[in-house]
Amino acid sequence: MEWASQLCENRGLGSKMTDSKYFTTTKKGEIFELKAELNSDKKEKKKEAVKKVIASMTVGKDVSALFPDVVNCMQTDNLELKKLVYLYLMNYAKSQPDMAIMAVNTFVKDCEDLNPLIRALAVRTMGCIRVDKITEYLCEPLRKCLKDEDPYVRKTAAVCVAKLHDINAQLVEDQGFLDTLKDLISDSNPMVVANAVAALSEIAESHPNSNLLDLNPQTINKLLTALNECTEWGQIFILDCLASYLPRDDRESQSICERVTPRLSHANSAVVLSAVKVLMKFMEMLPKDLDYYGTLLKKLAPPLVTLLSAEPELQYVALRNINLIVQKRPEILKHEMKVFFVKYNDPIYVKLEKLDIMIRLASQANIAQVLAELKEYATEVDVDFVRKAVRAIGRCAIKVEQSAERCVSTLLDLIQTKVNYVVQEAIVVIKDIFRKYPNKYESVIATLCENLDSLDEPEARAAMIWIVGEYAERIDNADELLESFLEGFHDESTQVQLQLLTAIVKLFLKKPTETQELVQQVLSLATQDSDNPDLRDRGYIYWRLLSTDPVAAKEVVLAEKPLISEETDLIEPTLLEELICHIGTLASVYHKPPSAFVEGSRGVQHKRLPPRTGSGESTETPDVGQSGPSEAPPAVIPSQGDLLGDLLNLDLAPPTATVPSVQPSMQMGAMDLLGGGLDSLLGGDIGGSPSMGAGLGAAPAAMPASLGSAPAVGGGLGDLFDLGGGVGMPTGSYVAPKTVWLLAMKAKGLEISGTFARRGGIIQMDLSLTNKAMSVMTDFAIQFNRNSFGLAPAGPLQVLTPLSPNQTIDVSLPLSTSGPVMKMEPLNNLQVAVKNNIDVFYFSCQYPLSLLFVEDGKMDRQVFLATWKDIPNDNEAQFQIKDIHLNSDVASNKLQGSNIFTIAKRTVEGQDMLYQSVKLTNGIWVLAEMRIQTGNPNYTLSIKCRAPEVCPFVYQCYELVLKN
Amino acid sequence: MINDYIFILKAVCHTLTQTSSHQVLICRNYKGDVDMSEIDHFFTLLMQQEEEGLLCPVMSHGNVHFLWIKHSNLYLVATTNKNSNASLVYSFLYKLVEVFTEYFKELEEESIQDNFVVVYELLDELMDFGFPQTTDSKILQEYITQQGNKLEVAKTKVPTTVTNAVSWRSEGIRYKKNEVFIDVIESINVLVNANGSVMSSDIVGSIKLKTMLSGMPELRLGLNDRMLFALTGDKGKTTVTMEDVKFHQCVRLSRFESDRTISFIPPDGESELMSYRINTHVKPLIWIESVIEKFSHSRVEIMVKAKGQFKKQSVANNVEIRVPVPSDADSPKFKTSTGHAKYVPEKNLVVWSIKSFPGGKELLMRAHFCLPSVENHETEGRPPITVKFEIPYFTVSGIQVRYMKIIEKSGYQALPWVRYITQSGDYQLRTNT
């Protein structure tokens, strides 16, 4: 660095003092002195004075009083001095708008200077002066600069349009600057193109609906050409802009991908991540069977891995994004486990992220290595990291069944270390392992009980209590253990209190003779001495259950719990899609949509991945967000859904006289307090009527407890279960008008028209028989060929009177679904034979699949989530239902009439998502997700079913029901 | 879209009150969106996170987000209230450090105060309205200099390079003797578990150029790249598969993508032309076996055996083996077969240095420390043993420069010089105690 060393020499010789001297003058009357110096005749002195002013400004002193004097120095041909004055102006113009006008003339003059540096400087500075009066004068110079011959001026002017737009959007539109800016996309200079793209993108952000960027294949081509030539930053602007384009078809998508992939070799991590964003997005449109799709997948892994050798902050951004990519497309990095191993000197934020990704990538193939690493981490010193490592071991056990045993023994080893927080974390995860693999590892309970005293964290205490309650029959001193907790009941956190209540009730149900006193104690603590509504409610429910029907209580409280799912902390698919569209940005770092942290972005369109063209393949991962087993509190009530589900399944016959155990007085208390409450809560739903939503709404208390701790999912889950009264009374199923099935001319004068209906659970074939012949028809009979769902007449065709010429009889034929089955083409085809005294006639008709949707097709939420995840992606089909002008509540009501049940609804920024289930008569479950965008008449329907061939027919039903 | 402010701050410790605060050395507002006083929250957050031991490079207060990096005792902070491109912001902040360092040799409090006028000018030129602009310091130095007063109006022109497609090289460069020096440097990253199994290992290679060429030369670099050989159908030679390659912006990426040709117009002087990563499992070149025995309340005994697992003809230079010791150890005693060992108490390390370590040799070091009889209550981590070395005239991967073609329209002859060196990268061996 030659000149730098020169500088040092200069310094040494003292021929030139450094700027730091300007910071040293802090005497009284400084402003006054500066004023005098600024008005000096000597150029050098003037400049020194301006420097002093700027120095004061830098350290935060108010030197705005010098405004007129500094502006007077503006007219200079010394570039350095000019820059300093401009800098001053930018800072103080806003506070002195009237005086700022004084500067306008110089600006306008400078915009026509011979030196392009000065022209650019003037236009750049003018844009930064946020004073309305000045902006008016800016228009003409800006217009000239946008057409300047020097690209340096043009690129600066392009950015200035965005600045001006920020101050006065209307002015920019009126002056036609947007069009000029659009023209610059075709500029011959790549830097100008890049800045024009950046400016347009910025402006477009505040006008989400304007088609400002107007991306079409021609402009895209220009951008892709400029991509090869502009600076690294320009490449990022262009790539980010490309990411918002929606290619017309898979071919265009592929050709863009091909031209973007070279960017993966750029040395700048930000260029690489922006390129990854474009590729991840456009890949969505490529058919999976395409060779290129596979090639692209392979190309993505190495650059992602290389990002991990960047600076730690960039590594962090990369890891947060890899976390998303791994969830969206696990196949990309499945062989790259090792690169996520934690290094001793990694910063903590990098360590924690790596750990998270390790678990996501854990599989049977690499589990041994992963476990060895995790065990290593669990003995480090950083508490947060160690805790996470211990949890990770538990998650591995749950995720990879083959490794469960090894994980449990590792956890036991860790418990032996007696390190307090390690023991507590281990107990929390072991509880989850018990739930995942019931009756397998309970032999370790004894070891766990040894550590009871050292538990001081609520989560660990609650976990331990759950274990004691759940396995009370195997723990000899379970009552003593629980009793010891009961002593300080009121000092415990709610989580522990709830758990203790449940555990003691379980214990009582298992060992009623010895524990009556204990249960009474806990019930009264919960109901009478606590002001926590959750606790009181749960206490009363148990109390009433125990007092009315202990058998039922046993059924409820000791019910078999659903298995917990293996993947945890997954981001909800629609959010994941949106985040993939924001790779590299803050949203991808926070794992939150921009609307969650950017002001004024509400109502801005959510970015979605493009729909896959070609095959009807899935566009999303099957994993519906769930609260992780490691996060959910260890309740006997796994979630609100299940609690109510269990309660609803109760036989709620009026209480009989046999009320054993609990003292009568207590029972009275409970009865009184609850009044009709519980009855009304539960009563409405007897008989499994589908309006479960009402019941849910009435018992929100249990929700926070079970859903509170799933930060990654955010409010998602809450929304998911929040059925805001969307389900009302069924409106009855839709019955299509009759159509002619058999023409008279083909059937010797017998015309048959008909339709199908499902009424109150009974399938009916409504027929109109018309005699168009000259003679009377008698002896009607009907028979079906074997068909896909075993439809068969449940009785004879009831045509009692002879059918006279020109007479029409309407008959309803009840159908059963117990006939012989044979798969038909199309699936819903039914071949019918009708006989009368004249001949036998054959015809075929097609029934709507909704005929087979049974009334108890409402799936439990948990089961839904698990099933959705379980059904392979390839079984998912997507459809568009066009031109529906219903809001989601009306739609879900309508659908319910045809036994399409809405299980959950969530709303994300104006988009309603309905999760629905349907059960067919033959036991096939169909799961659906319907997305409704406010103001958009087109619904998107995703259907998942283990028998994917029914999907199009289910879709037909949706369309039929919604449109009528 | 990108960010509002760039701040450079320093932490100030008040020794009297035992508190620390911050001081803004310089800041530049690129947009009007965020209030400048927001920066006060940054420091509060930083202190809070430091206390909790949960630092994070992104922090937010209200709807203002702080993205920051630390350079020696300075914090470079970018603020934004939009969904900014985070990776761009960090890349830019690091670029800022690079540019300032090239301008002022060191980026520190003094250099910023000494040159605040230039710093302002640079901040103005590097970014406009939150969009990074020209960040190549060589080009910037052509029109932003510290001798501003020397500039005459007629002389100051925008270097065409600023907006050229070739934004990294100026025209009109002249050398009497035209030469290119090519350094091929491979760093070995190894992570070995306490039980001696290699957990991960890879090679990160870098090809650095020192270009002393006149005019606008066109260069083409030929390597024994397996993909290239597969494309051209060459067979029977030793080739190398590069897992991932990253290039300086001068290299034509689309050309490389289509036919694996590395063609470019080089920046003048020193630059990193490319880097690559190779995943092949390499035998750790220096293998370490260690026994660290800790006898509580009395002593620690360390035995380290180092073995050169490379060719006998090669020599590893400046080898340093750093062995962790407990923080409360004292009275060191060493015995080494070669080289010398030194105790570095501030880092809790024994550093065993060996000037030259021939391949195939096995060396030994023993160390003995006393431990105080009072138990140290602070739990300590288990830092790994780390190794530093360099082996000249050799690359582990076997990568070779086959040719460097230099074409310039004036038709001069130029000589390429190639050097190979292998060195340690992140070379860690975990220990048992």
Side-chain angles (χ1 to χ4, degrees):
Chain A
M1 207 115 325
E2 211 172 298
W3 60 267
S5 58
Q6 264 176 15
L7 178 77
C8 293
E9 271 168 41
N10 282 345
R11 244 190 250 181
L13 290 168
S15 67
K16 189 185 185 234
M17 291 259 298
T18 61
D19 296 343
S20 58
K21 66 168 189 262
Y22 301 110
F23 291 94
T24 54
T25 51
T26 45
K27 45 185 190 265
K28 260 191 179 174
E30 191 190 357
I31 298 279
F32 185 75
E33 257 176 47
L34 281 173
K35 208 175 178 82
E37 283 174 42
L38 284 169
N39 291 311
S40 157
D41 296 334
K42 285 177 192 149
K43 268 190 181 176
E44 258 323 289
K45 201 155 193 183
K46 251 189 186 174
K47 204 173 92 185
E48 293 298 291
V50 176
K51 278 194 183 180
K52 280 184 202 163
V53 173
I54 300 291
S56 304
M57 187 182 96
T58 303
V59 294
K61 282 185 212 160
D62 182 13
V63 284
S64 58
L66 296 167
F67 200 93
D69 310 283
V70 176
V71 171
N72 271 338
C73 303
M74 203 171 156
Q75 293 265 20
T76 171
D77 40 9
N78 183 309
L79 192 59
E80 192 192 4
L81 181 56
K82 200 178 254 319
K83 281 185 181 173
L84 290 173
V85 176
Y86 277 5
L87 192 64
Y88 180 90
L89 272 174
M90 280 188 269
N91 253 340
Y92 289 112
K94 217 172 174 184
S95 58
Q96 313 256 345
D98 294 325
M99 280 202 264
I101 296 294
M102 290 161 54
V104 163
N105 265 337
T106 320
F107 274 128
V108 175
K109 215 176 110 209
D110 282 354
C111 282
E112 291 178 12
D113 198 279
L114 281 176
N115 185 341
L117 274 180
I118 294 194
R119 294 202 296 275
L121 181 65
V123 80
R124 183 162 69 207
T125 311
M126 267 181 103
C128 294
I129 296 180
R130 303 173 68 87
V131 175
D132 275 342
K133 284 181 194 156
I134 291 206
T135 41
E136 286 166 32
Y137 293 97
L138 179 58
C139 293
E140 279 323 299
L142 177 59
R143 199 184 313 282
K144 271 185 207 149
C145 288
L146 281 168
K147 303 231 155 90
D148 201 284
E149 51 169 24
D150 194 301
Y152 183 76
V153 180
R154 289 205 301 279
K155 74 145 187 151
T156 312
V159 175
C160 189
V161 176
K163 292 180 188 169
L164 192 59
H165 187 271
D166 199 35
I167 305 168
N168 190 341
Q170 195 55 46
L171 185 72
V172 169
E173 277 167 46
D174 295 347
Q175 295 279 333
F177 285 137
L178 294 181
D179 294 320
T180 323
L181 203 51
K182 277 188 211 166
D183 292 343
L184 286 184
I185 291 188
S186 315
D187 199 279
S188 57
N189 186 292
M191 276 282 268
V192 178
V193 178
N195 275 4
V197 168
L200 278 171
S201 308
E202 169 95 17
I203 295 171
E205 222 171 82
S206 52
H207 286 267
N209 300 317
S210 70
N211 192 15
L212 244 188
L213 278 161
D214 186 27
L215 295 174
N216 55 48
Q218 285 76 41
T219 46
I220 290 294
N221 198 30
K222 279 177 201 153
L223 292 182
L224 286 167
T225 312
L227 188 59
N228 285 325
E229 292 171 344
C230 59
T231 66
E232 45 199 323
W233 313 111
Q235 296 184 18
I236 300 172
F237 306 152
I238 293 179
L239 288 168
D240 284 355
C241 172
L242 276 178
S244 60
Y245 175 64
L246 188 71
R248 286 163 309 171
D249 51 29
D250 49 337
R251 228 190 268 156
E252 192 188 4
S253 181
Q254 177 175 347
S255 87
I256 294 174
C257 287
E258 278 165 356
R259 292 177 70 178
V260 166
T261 33
R263 296 300 121 196
L264 295 175
S265 299
H266 201 287
N268 187 326
S269 307
V271 176
V272 175
L273 263 184
S274 287
V276 168
K277 165 163 58 192
V278 175
L279 296 174
M280 281 295 287
K281 209 178 156 185
F282 288 10
M283 238 173 137
E284 214 40 50
M285 290 184 71
L286 301 176
K288 273 190 178 166
D289 43 6
L290 196 69
D291 284 348
Y292 182 71
Y293 178 84
T295 320
L296 201 52
L297 275 183
K298 277 197 206 102
K299 277 192 175 160
L300 276 168
L304 286 173
V305 170
T306 306
L307 287 177
L308 299 184
S309 27
E311 288 83 3
E313 291 84 3
L314 283 161
Q315 271 188 56
Y316 176 69
V317 176
L319 285 164
R320 293 293 284 172
N321 280 286
I322 288 172
N323 201 326
L324 299 172
I325 292 168
V326 165
Q327 290 184 57
K328 180 73 194 159
R329 300 199 180 281
E331 61 271 35
I332 295 177
L333 287 166
K334 66 176 172 206
H335 298 304
E336 302 289 351
M337 171 62 84
K338 284 183 174 182
V339 300
F340 297 102
F341 285 173
V342 172
K343 298 266 176 68
Y344 182 76
N345 39 351
D346 283 334
I348 180 71
Y349 53 83
V350 168
K351 283 184 176 172
L352 295 175
E353 290 308 313
K354 280 187 174 174
L355 202 52
D356 227 31
I357 295 169
M358 278 173 68
I359 302 160
R360 294 213 192 282
L361 291 177
S363 67
Q364 203 184 336
N366 56 26
I367 194 74
Q369 253 183 335
V370 174
L371 263 183
E373 279 294 299
L374 291 176
K375 200 173 170 185
E376 185 83 32
Y377 304 159
T379 55
E380 292 227 10
V381 279
D382 195 315
V383 177
D384 292 290
F385 181 56
V386 171
R387 281 173 181 276
K388 197 156 180 176
V390 177
R391 282 202 183 211
I393 296 173
R395 277 169 70 181
C396 284
I398 287 162
K399 192 171 173 191
V400 185
E401 186 163 359
Q402 295 80 357
S403 76
E405 196 155 347
R406 223 169 334 163
C407 293
V408 171
S409 78
T410 308
L411 287 169
L412 284 178
D413 287 351
L414 289 171
I415 288 177
Q416 298 307 341
T417 64
K418 302 277 177 198
V419 178
N420 186 281
Y421 55 86
V422 174
V423 173
Q424 310 211 34
E425 287 296 329
I427 285 180
V428 172
V429 294
I430 285 182
K431 177 258 306 171
D432 289 332
I433 296 176
F434 282 171
R435 285 207 45 198
K436 169 79 182 182
Y437 309 108
N439 306 316
K440 222 166 161 188
Y441 300 111
E442 283 76 11
S443 54
V444 308
I445 288 175
T447 321
L448 301 184
C449 289
E450 288 165 22
N451 292 286
L452 215 59
D453 298 334
S454 63
L455 309 178
D456 54 12
E457 289 164 20
E459 203 181 350
R461 286 172 83 83
M464 193 64 221
I465 293 169
W466 181 86
I467 292 172
V468 174
E470 186 68 17
Y471 300 102
E473 67 274 25
R474 308 187 192 197
I475 306 172
D476 295 335
N477 59 342
D479 49 343
E480 282 169 36
L481 293 176
L482 292 176
E483 199 171 357
S484 70
F485 281 104
L486 207 54
E487 280 159 21
F489 188 79
H490 289 297
D491 301 329
E492 299 283 1
S493 72
T494 312
Q495 189 184 8
V496 179
Q497 291 176 333
L498 285 168
Q499 209 43 255
L500 198 52
L501 171 63
T502 305
I504 293 179
V505 171
K506 281 190 208 166
L507 174 70
F508 170 71
L509 289 167
K510 288 175 179 176
K511 301 179 182 174
T513 45
E514 312 124 63
T515 55
Q516 269 202 39
E517 209 169 303
L518 198 60
V519 84
Q520 280 168 17
Q521 210 180 331
V522 79
L523 285 175
S524 79
L525 278 171
T527 54
Q528 283 159 22
D529 297 347
S530 168
D531 48 10
N532 181 320
D534 286 359
L535 189 62
R536 272 209 317 252
D537 286 357
R538 198 186 282 189
Y540 279 129
I541 289 178
Y542 284 144
W543 202 329
R544 185 162 156 84
L545 266 172
L546 291 173
S547 55
T548 48
D549 187 352
V551 181
K554 211 163 186 168
E555 250 172 68
V556 173
V557 179
L558 304 181
E560 201 167 303
K561 280 153 286 297
L563 292 184
I564 51 180
S565 100
E566 23 190 89
E567 275 300 342
T568 56
D569 298 340
L570 284 171
I571 294 175
E572 190 267 324
T574 38
L575 176 61
L576 183 61
E577 280 194 18
E578 188 179 354
L579 292 179
I580 290 284
C581 300
H582 290 291
I583 282 179
T585 68
L586 277 178
S588 72
V589 176
Y590 289 139
H591 289 183
K592 282 183 199 160
S595 55
F597 61 89
V598 179
E599 230 173 53
S601 66
R602 301 209 164 260
V604 171
Q605 208 181 330
H606 281 261
K607 293 198 176 175
R608 293 295 305 263
L609 289 176
R612 190 174 290 280
T613 52
S615 57
E617 251 178 303
S618 92
T619 55
E620 45 192 71
T621 48
D623 315 289
V624 175
Q626 299 202 12
S627 70
S630 56
E631 326 271 346
V636 62
I637 297 159
S639 85
Q640 182 198 9
D642 286 313
L643 163 66
L644 279 160
D646 289 341
L647 289 175
L648 293 174
N649 287 337
L650 278 176
D651 176 23
L652 283 181
T656 49
T658 51
V659 183
S661 68
V662 198
Q663 290 169 13
S665 66
M666 271 190 174
Q667 182 205 344
M668 284 311 292
M671 295 282 268
D672 287 343
L673 265 164
L674 274 172
L678 194 62
D679 284 329
S680 63
L681 175 66
L682 303 171
D685 293 326
I686 301 173
S689 103
S691 56
M692 198 161 155
L696 272 174
M703 204 151 89
S706 55
L707 294 174
S709 47
V713 190
L717 260 176
D719 290 346
L720 190 63
F721 290 109
D722 181 18
L723 258 179
V727 183
M729 282 309 293
T731 51
S733 94
Y734 163 73
V735 179
K738 285 179 183 165
T739 48
V740 177
W741 285 339
L742 184 67
L743 288 169
M745 52 182 286
K746 282 192 175 171
K748 302 187 176 160
L750 175 65
E751 188 188 73
I752 299 180
S753 58
T755 184
F756 293 93
R758 184 176 179 98
R759 298 187 182 96
I762 294 161
I763 306 172
Q764 284 176 324
M765 188 186 210
D766 295 345
L767 296 168
S768 295
L769 309 176
T770 309
N771 185 350
K772 295 206 167 167
M774 307 303 287
S775 55
V776 174
M777 295 177 181
T778 55
D779 300 326
F780 285 97
I782 194 164
Q783 217 169 10
F784 293 175
N785 196 358
R786 285 197 275 180
N787 55 70
S788 313
F789 293 92
L791 282 174
L797 191 60
Q798 302 277 338
V799 186
L800 299 174
T801 49
L803 192 60
S804 332
N806 277 331
Q807 191 196 355
T808 299
I809 302 185
D810 288 340
V811 275
S812 267
L813 178 69
L815 306 182
S816 77
T817 51
S818 50
V821 176
M822 184 178 78
K823 193 172 168 189
M824 298 299 290
E825 192 58 49
L827 202 66
N828 59 342
N829 201 20
L830 183 66
Q831 294 176 340
V832 183
V834 171
K835 179 190 97 84
N836 61 8
N837 57 336
I838 299 164
D839 205 341
V840 181
F841 311 104
Y842 300 96
F843 65 90
S844 63
C845 54
Q846 285 164 15
Y847 49 93
L849 214 63
S850 54
L851 210 57
L852 307 163
F853 296 176
V854 297
E855 277 67 23
D856 63 345
K858 183 156 186 162
M859 202 176 236
D860 176 89
R861 279 170 190 70
Q862 294 291 358
V863 181
F864 182 89
L865 293 175
T867 316
W868 183 274
K869 207 183 126 306
D870 207 40
I871 299 177
N873 260 356
D874 294 348
N875 282 11
E876 184 178 337
Q878 244 193 28
F879 304 94
Q880 288 279 333
I881 308 173
K882 293 211 165 99
D883 237 332
I884 305 290
H885 298 274
L886 304 172
N887 71 32
S888 57
D889 292 345
V890 177
S892 95
N893 243 338
K894 267 197 147 182
L895 291 168
Q896 182 164 319
S898 296
N899 294 339
I900 298 172
F901 297 101
T902 302
I903 291 177
K905 171 184 161 185
R906 51 177 305 224
T907 306
V908 180
E909 300 301 321
Q911 175 160 270
D912 287 339
M913 245 118 32
L914 301 180
Y915 296 90
Q916 299 170 322
S917 73
V918 163
K919 187 180 165 190
L920 302 185
T921 44
N922 58 356
I924 291 179
W925 283 95
V926 180
L927 280 61
E929 181 207 45
M930 189 157 75
R931 293 194 207 117
I932 305 173
Q933 186 110 37
T934 320
N936 183 349
N938 298 341
Y939 295 0
T940 309
L941 181 69
S942 307
I943 303 181
K944 264 191 159 186
C945 178
R946 286 188 213 279
E949 53 271 52
V950 308
C951 295
F953 299 98
V954 175
Y955 157 64
Q956 274 180 7
C957 298
Y958 266 85
E959 199 162 54
L960 217 61
V961 173
L962 289 173
K963 290 206 168 158
N964 291 288
Chain B
M1 177 179 177
I2 315 298
N3 46 284
D4 304 300
Y5 269 99
I6 300 280
F7 287 96
I8 302 179
L9 311 169
K10 75 164 184 187
V12 188
C13 291
H14 305 285
T15 36
L16 276 178
T17 52
Q18 290 290 313
T19 55
S20 56
S21 64
H22 71 288
Q23 182 191 332
V24 176
L25 292 179
I26 210 158
C27 87
R28 178 72 168 85
N29 178 6
Y30 290 103
K31 289 183 178 180
D33 299 3
V34 177
D35 192 71
M36 193 180 145
S37 60
E38 287 286 346
I39 194 67
D40 297 336
H41 301 299
F42 167 75
F43 217 72
T44 322
L45 285 167
L46 189 73
M47 302 284 295
Q48 217 175 316
Q49 291 200 345
E50 257 172 6
E51 250 166 52
E52 290 163 8
L54 279 172
L55 272 186
C56 184
V58 194
M59 301 192 288
S60 61
H61 180 270
N63 59 345
V64 180
H65 309 275
F66 304 97
L67 292 84
W68 61 282
I69 64 169
K70 196 177 176 189
H71 181 82
S72 58
N73 65 336
L74 300 182
Y75 295 88
L76 283 86
V77 187
T79 64
T80 178
N81 58 5
K82 298 264 169 64
N83 182 27
S84 299
N85 185 329
S87 52
L88 181 146
V89 173
Y90 291 118
S91 291
F92 180 77
L93 290 178
Y94 276 104
K95 197 73 187 182
L96 216 55
V97 173
E98 191 185 314
V99 170
F100 287 151
T101 313
E102 277 177 46
Y103 260 83
F104 316 126
K105 277 201 166 157
E106 292 286 344
L107 172 57
E108 55 191 18
E109 188 185 351
E110 287 73 29
S111 61
I112 288 174
Q113 285 193 336
D114 288 354
N115 300 287
F116 78 94
V117 175
V118 182
V119 172
Y120 272 129
E121 279 189 57
L122 284 174
L123 286 174
D124 212 30
E125 200 63 41
L126 287 164
M127 179 171 266
D128 193 7
F129 202 54
F131 304 125
Q133 300 291 309
T134 312
T135 54
D136 192 310
S137 64
K138 285 204 189 72
I139 306 304
L140 287 167
Q141 281 164 20
E142 287 180 29
Y143 65 110
I144 296 184
T145 69
Q146 281 154 315
Q147 276 75 30
N149 48 345
K150 280 189 196 162
L151 291 178
E152 295 302 319
V153 179
K155 268 164 97 189
T156 344
K157 279 271 175 244
V158 191
T160 46
T161 338
V162 175
T163 48
N164 253 355
V166 183
S167 63
W168 54 88
R169 188 184 176 91
S170 308
E171 277 168 34
I173 295 169
R174 282 277 159 271
Y175 284 96
K176 271 188 200 147
K177 195 174 174 191
N178 290 297
E179 289 175 307
V180 192
F181 297 90
I182 307 167
D183 278 346
V184 181
I185 303 162
E186 290 195 338
S187 305
I188 316 287
N189 299 325
V190 177
L191 179 62
V192 181
N193 215 352
N195 60 16
S197 57
V198 179
M199 301 303 289
S200 66
S201 74
D202 62 6
I203 305 167
V204 176
S206 150
I207 299 187
K208 293 189 171 158
L209 295 185
K210 188 174 176 191
T211 318
M212 299 163 78
L213 295 171
S214 313
M216 278 295 196
E218 263 290 336
L219 271 58
R220 247 170 65 206
L221 175 70
L223 300 171
N224 55 340
D225 165 20
R226 181 166 298 160
M227 294 273 273
L228 175 68
F229 280 52
L231 276 176
T232 53
D234 268 324
K235 272 181 205 131
K237 293 178 189 155
T238 42
T239 55
V240 174
T241 312
M242 294 183 283
E243 183 80 10
D244 187 31
V245 195
K246 293 274 177 277
F247 290 106
H248 185 277
Q249 56 167 326
C250 67
V251 176
R252 297 180 183 95
L253 296 181
S254 25
R255 175 104 195 256
F256 179 76
E257 181 79 9
S258 63
D259 62 7
R260 301 289 282 192
T261 306
I262 303 169
S263 76
F264 55 98
I265 296 171
D268 190 42
E270 291 178 26
S271 59
E272 182 178 74
L273 178 70
M274 62 182 278
S275 63
Y276 55 87
R277 196 165 47 77
I278 297 174
N279 251 352
T280 44
H281 205 88
V282 281
K283 194 158 60 169
L285 295 178
I286 293 189
W287 183 252
I288 304 285
E289 278 170 40
S290 67
V291 181
I292 303 177
E293 278 182 295
K294 194 172 165 185
F295 302 92
S296 289
H297 314 300
S298 72
R299 64 188 196 280
V300 181
E301 281 179 12
I302 299 169
M303 195 276 293
V304 176
K305 198 159 74 179
K307 193 179 174 200
Q309 304 195 104
F310 46 93
K311 274 186 260 162
K312 285 214 171 72
Q313 306 91 296
S314 293
V315 172
N317 293 331
N318 304 321
V319 180
E320 268 189 18
I321 299 163
R322 296 154 174 265
V323 187
V325 291
S327 60
D328 51 356
D330 57 61
S331 333
K333 273 182 239 153
F334 304 111
K335 221 164 101 185
T336 56
S337 59
T338 317
H340 72 280
K342 204 173 79 185
Y343 176 43
V344 189
E346 63 272 21
K347 288 183 179 158
N348 302 321
L349 284 176
V350 174
V351 180
W352 176 21
S353 328
I354 303 146
K355 265 266 163 295
S356 75
F357 191 148
K361 274 272 160 52
E362 210 174 273
L363 305 178
L364 205 69
M365 190 267 294
R366 283 178 191 281
H368 177 283
F369 286 88
C370 293
L371 285 177
S373 50
V374 188
E375 183 90 41
N376 183 4
H377 283 293
E378 272 173 54
T379 42
E380 286 179 34
R382 289 177 302 159
I385 294 178
T386 56
V387 184
K388 273 173 64 180
F389 60 86
E390 31 181 79
I391 306 173
Y393 318 115
F394 158 78
T395 55
V396 229
S397 68
I399 200 156
Q400 274 174 358
V401 174
R402 293 171 51 237
Y403 59 81
M404 169 73 99
K405 286 187 182 143
I406 303 162
I407 302 158
E408 216 276 335
K409 56 175 185 284
S410 65
Y412 59 71
Q413 287 295 309
L415 291 171
W417 306 92
V418 189
R419 263 197 316 193
Y420 298 97
I421 192 164
T422 292
Q423 62 185 29
S424 55
D426 197 348
Y427 202 102
Q428 303 190 352
L429 301 100
R430 291 179 183 155
T431 58
N432 258 325
T433 36

